[in-house]
């Protein structure tokens, strides 16, 4: 705060000695004392160019006070086809301003040419939201504060000339207008000015609709409907008379390698929505007509109203092509009701609820029973139950839902307790097993409803897996990630390691500032790096996510002026984060922002042309127009830099935005990739959440998950399967922390990354190529039909099955050496054992090679394992 008070003192000193100069900032208190008499209205307005962003809400430039912007033209200069921006400032000099309004006139030239007012807009008063829908915002200015209003003009197709018009600001029944004179001259600017960040033309990206269309993403099928049965890739969904799911079926093979003709049920019975009165009597609802309200290639939407004398239940559902199901369930009381409980019952088959993740339970085998109650100090509102080839994630929410912050920032914007399901913490979820069924009961407890009272029992479903494992990606994509901060050196390092995809992280010499790869000063070098990678037959991807954003971007002050829409409005200077800012924010933030922010990543830049600068970031607001900016920036990069995809790290992204990202990459870089990394969120800072649970709706649009940071690779195999491998969701996975455990990883067919740390995977990659893993089918230990087992519970075995050549992978989950027999069902494997040779191939730094006389007696070192070659000699 010392900088703030110093600023005030300097202003006072200047006032005393009469040393005000036009470019000087003075506190609003001094401005009111020295210039207040000349401002004969509730507010003062002024204009400023894009080159000098309004910095503080408690200070004013003297020039803004000395000049009468309502009389003299404010002159601006732009180029044809440019997206041009400037600022209007409003000072609430005499009391707070509520619901401030802005109106733009047409801009006209003496020659009769016109720039329509429809081409002019203010970013602060609204725009296009991240779903592509128009919205408006109320602008309120606190007493004595200054508000920057950023104005954009689309000059596409506008002829050269001098154009005159006005911008009018109204508040408190008063209006003030600024005269604008815009000179458009020179050569037309390319890409509307988006090739340069400093011109701030990229502000238009906030309202971008790139990637918003009705087309489905590559690799999926349109939703097909026949009566009440809907079909998508590998799954079918039958709608009950009440609109709720009656049947859900998976057609994925047991290890998720292919889609079969015969399906397996995920549900043992239909969903039930139960309304129980205080006397224990259940209200009987009579369903009305099932109506399909919208049918497109990407989704089918329906609605049913069920009624009784006591209440009406409106059930609206929508199934998307990726397996996402959105339910809006509204209960309206027609008379006063005393309720014992309102609950949703989901009966699942035992086979498709083998594993569980969520509601304070880490991923792994499902317990016989589980009880959970709402507690928003934890980032828990979703439960996944499933097998590798079929499952459901359920997520409960209501009308007040917003996407919470993630990682160590969860406490700054946690989940909101849904009024319906939460019911003042009376609600919860019970999971119980009975016979061959597992019942998920989401209850909300006792309450009273007045006539007309309405509750929204909304929920989401994700039907897993989303697609089959793509062996070409799983075994053919080899990542180089890390290896220092000299980005140009990584092409040669990747070549040496046998990698074909290079991830460039932020905090590197030519990408110094987090989540803004397209800085003017480094885009030429990034393009050169991409070209170098392509010349070596390698793809290059960039770190690019939305959780936080560096201050070192041209748009930082305009984004901050949006009052929490893009940059999250946290505690500001009072913010404390245990991991990064335990003693409070960096002094730059304290001095320049002061309020409404949360400090995040910071890093001194030690290499390259940015050496000596400092990366400092703040947390962003989920599901804001930053999503539009993010997608438009991605679109610009894949077209202009020709990057081959992005690496996402703990995102604030939603499924719709990632769907847009997938479309952008697939259309411009068909071999492009998106991979997701996440820290282990199962701790107090992050709200005890499972990463793949909170990000599960993003998984249909990813190529890989790297969920390994802070992972304990001594956890049981079931934990590996659910939270590390990616297999139950149709994705390859990779290991991270300390390089993982290559022997255990191979049971799932996964390695770590080259360039990261320890256990370099290049020799395993060579082994994959030598034995044609892309052509083999993984049949895992979790599969009841797996042809290979062991007689030691500490050792698990999977097989990579080929036509006449298979690889058996065994791994020891004990820290000590273990003896085991490897038992092969030769008929199931499809081999004649009398014609087979069995060997342990030589793999450098993994295992010594040699013949194997018998599988009946093997000594397996602690925490290690073997890859065993079985070859039928035909």
């Amino acid at each position: 705060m010392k900088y703030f008070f110093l600023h005030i003192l300097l202003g006072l000193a200047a006032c005393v000695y009469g040393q005000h100069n036009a470019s000087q900032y003075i506190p609003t208190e001094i401005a009111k004392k020295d210039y207040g008499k000349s401002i004969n209205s509730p507010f003062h307005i002024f204009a400023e160019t894009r080159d000098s962003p309004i910095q503080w809400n408690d200070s004013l430039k003297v020039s803004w006070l000395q000049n009468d912007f309502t009389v003299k033209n404010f002159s601006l200069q732009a180029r044809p086809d440019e997206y041009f921006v400037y600022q209007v400032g409003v000072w609430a000099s005499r009391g707070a301003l509520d619901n401030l309004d802005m109106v733009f006139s047409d801009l006209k030239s003496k020659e009769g040419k016109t720039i329509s007012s429809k081409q002019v807009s203010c970013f602060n008063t609204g725009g296009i939201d991240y779903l592509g829908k128009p919205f408006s915002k109320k602008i309120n200015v606190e007493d004595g504060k200054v508000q920057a209003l950023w104005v954009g003009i689309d000059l596409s197709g506008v002829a050269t000339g001098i154009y005159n018009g006005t911008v009018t600001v109204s508040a408190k029944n008063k209006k003030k207008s600024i005269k604008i004179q815009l000179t458009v001259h020179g050569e037309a600017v390319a890409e509307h000015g988006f090739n340069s960040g400093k011109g701030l033309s990229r502000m238009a990206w906030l309202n971008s609709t790139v990637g918003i269309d009705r087309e489905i993403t590559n690799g999926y099928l349109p939703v097909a409907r026949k009566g009440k049965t809907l079909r998508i890739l590998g799954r079918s969904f039958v709608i009950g008379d009440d609109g709720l799911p009656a049947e859900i079926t998976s057609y994925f093979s047991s290890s998720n390698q292919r889609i079969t003709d015969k399906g397996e049920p995920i549900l043992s019975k239909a969903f039930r929505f139960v309304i129980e009165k205080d006397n224990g009597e259940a209200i009987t609802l009579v369903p009305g007509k099932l109506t399909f309200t919208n049918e497109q290639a990407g989704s089918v939407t329906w609605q049913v109203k069920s009624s009784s004398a006591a209440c009406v239940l409106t059930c609206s559902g929508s199934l998307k092509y990726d397996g996402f199901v959105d339910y809006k369930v509204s209960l309206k009381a027609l008379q006063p009701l005393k309720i014992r409980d309102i609950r949703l019952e989901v009966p699942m088959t035992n086979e498709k609820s083998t594993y569980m993740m969520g509601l304070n339970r880490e991923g792994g085998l499902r317990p016989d029973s589980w009880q959970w109650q709402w507690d928003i100090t934890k980032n828990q509102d979703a439960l996944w139950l499933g097998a590798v080839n079929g499952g459901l994630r359920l997520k409960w929410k209501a009308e007040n839902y917003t996407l919470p912050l993630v990682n160590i920032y969860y406490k700054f914007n946690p989940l909101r307790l849904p009024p319906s399901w939460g019911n003042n913490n009376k609600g919860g979820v019970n999971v119980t097993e009975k016979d061959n069924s597992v019942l998920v009961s989401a209850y909300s407890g006792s309450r009273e409803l007045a006539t007309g009272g309405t509750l929204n029992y909304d929920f989401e479903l994700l039907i897993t897996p989303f697609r089959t494992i793509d062996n070409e990606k799983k075994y053919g994509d080899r990542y180089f990630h890390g290896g220092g901060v000299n980005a140009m050196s990584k092409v040669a390092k990747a070549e040496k390691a046998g990698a074909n995809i290079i991830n460039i992280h932020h905090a590197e010499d030519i990408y110094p500032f987090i989540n803004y790869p397209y800085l003017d000063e480094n885009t030429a070098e990034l393009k050169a790096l991409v070209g170098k990678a392509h010349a070596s037959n390698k793809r290059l991807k960039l770190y690019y996510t939305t959780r936080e954003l560096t201050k070192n971007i041209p748009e930082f002050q305009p984004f901050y002026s949006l009052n929490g829409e893009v940059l999250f409005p946290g505690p500001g200077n009072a913010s404390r984060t245990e991991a990064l800012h335990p003693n409070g924010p960096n002094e730059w933030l304290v001095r320049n922002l002061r309020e409404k922010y949360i400090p995040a990543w910071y890093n001194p830049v030690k290499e390259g042309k940015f050496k000596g600068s400092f990366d400092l970031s703040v947390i962003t607001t989920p599901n804001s127009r930053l999503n539009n900016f993010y997608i438009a920036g991605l679109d610009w990069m894949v077209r202009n830099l020709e990057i081959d995809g992005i690496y996402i790290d703990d995102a604030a992204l939603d499924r719709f935005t990632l769907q847009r990202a997938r479309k952008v990459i697939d259309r411009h870089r068909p071999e492009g990739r998106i991979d997701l990394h996440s820290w282990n969120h199962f701790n107090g800072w992050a709200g005890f959440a499972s990463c793949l649970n909170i990000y599960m709706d993003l998984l249909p649009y990813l190529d890989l998950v790297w969920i390994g940071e802070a992972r304990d690779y001594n956890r049981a195999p079931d934990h590996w399967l659910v939270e590390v491998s990616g297999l139950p969701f149709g994705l390859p996975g990779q290991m991270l922390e300390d390089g993982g455990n290559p022997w255990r990883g191979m049971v799932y067919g996964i390695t770590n990354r080259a360039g990261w740390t320890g256990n370099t995977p290049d020799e395993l990659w060579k082994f994959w190529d030598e034995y044609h893993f892309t052509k083999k089918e993984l049949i895992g230990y979790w599969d009841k039909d797996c042809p290979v087992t062991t007689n030691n519970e500490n050792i698990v075995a999977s097989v990579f099955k080929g036509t006449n050549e298979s690889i058996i992978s065994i791994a020891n989950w004990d820290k000590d050496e273990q003896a085991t027999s490897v038992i092969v069902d030769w008929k199931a494997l499809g081999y004649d054992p009398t014609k087979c040779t069995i060997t342990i191939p030589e793999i450098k730094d993994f295992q010594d090679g040699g013949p194997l006389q018998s599988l009946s007696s093997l000594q397996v070192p602690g925490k290690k394992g073997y890859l065993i070659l079985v070859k039928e000699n035909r």
Side-chain angles (χ1 to χ4, degrees), residues 753-803:
R753 296 185 171 183
W756 190 246
T757 177
N759 302 332
T760 304
D762 54 335
E763 296 297 330
L764 279 172
W765 291 344
K766 292 175 185 177
F767 180 78
W768 287 356
D769 290 340
E770 183 178 358
Y771 291 97
H772 311 289
F773 268 60
T774 58
K775 306 299 182 184
K776 288 180 167 57
E777 179 179 6
L778 170 60
I779 306 175
Y781 68 85
W782 53 88
D783 187 340
K784 65 180 184 302
D785 296 322
C786 182
V788 179
T789 57
T790 75
N791 63 352
N792 186 323
E793 63 180 9
N794 294 308
I795 297 176
V796 299
S798 298
V799 63
F800 300 88
K801 182 182 176 183
T803 303

Side-chain angles (χ1 to χ4, degrees), residues 359-399:
L359 305 187
N360 215 39
R361 175 81 176 183
E362 289 187 90
L365 289 167
R366 174 187 49 79
D368 291 338
S369 63
W370 190 255
Q371 292 80 42
W372 173 88
Q373 282 190 286
W374 283 94
D375 176 4
I376 61 168
T377 65
K378 298 178 179 179
N379 190 3
Q380 298 171 1
D381 62 351
L383 170 71
W384 176 78
L385 287 174
V388 171
N389 66 334
L392 284 182
R393 192 200 73 169
L394 298 107
K395 180 175 181 177
W396 296 274
K397 60 182 187 177
E399 70 280 0

Side-chain angles (χ1 to χ4, degrees), residues 135 227 231 316 349 479 787 797:
F135 76 103
R231 290 187 177 273
S316 300
T349 64
Y479 281 74

Side-chain angles (χ1 to χ4, degrees), residues 5 312 315 866:
F5 291 118
V312 174
C315 177
Y866 293 111

Side-chain angles (χ1 to χ4, degrees), residues 569-613:
N573 290 353
S575 299
R576 300 291 185 272
T577 58
E578 295 91 334
L580 292 177
H581 300 276
N583 299 317
N586 176 275
E587 64 180 40
W588 189 94
L589 295 172
V590 170
R591 184 171 69 249
N592 288 284
L593 295 191
R594 303 170 186 165
E595 60 183 23
K596 297 180 181 179
Y597 71 91
I598 300 172
W601 164 265
Y602 65 91
N603 178 61
V605 181
K606 299 179 180 179
E607 302 287 341
K609 68 169 66 175
F610 300 95
K611 183 178 179 180
S613 58

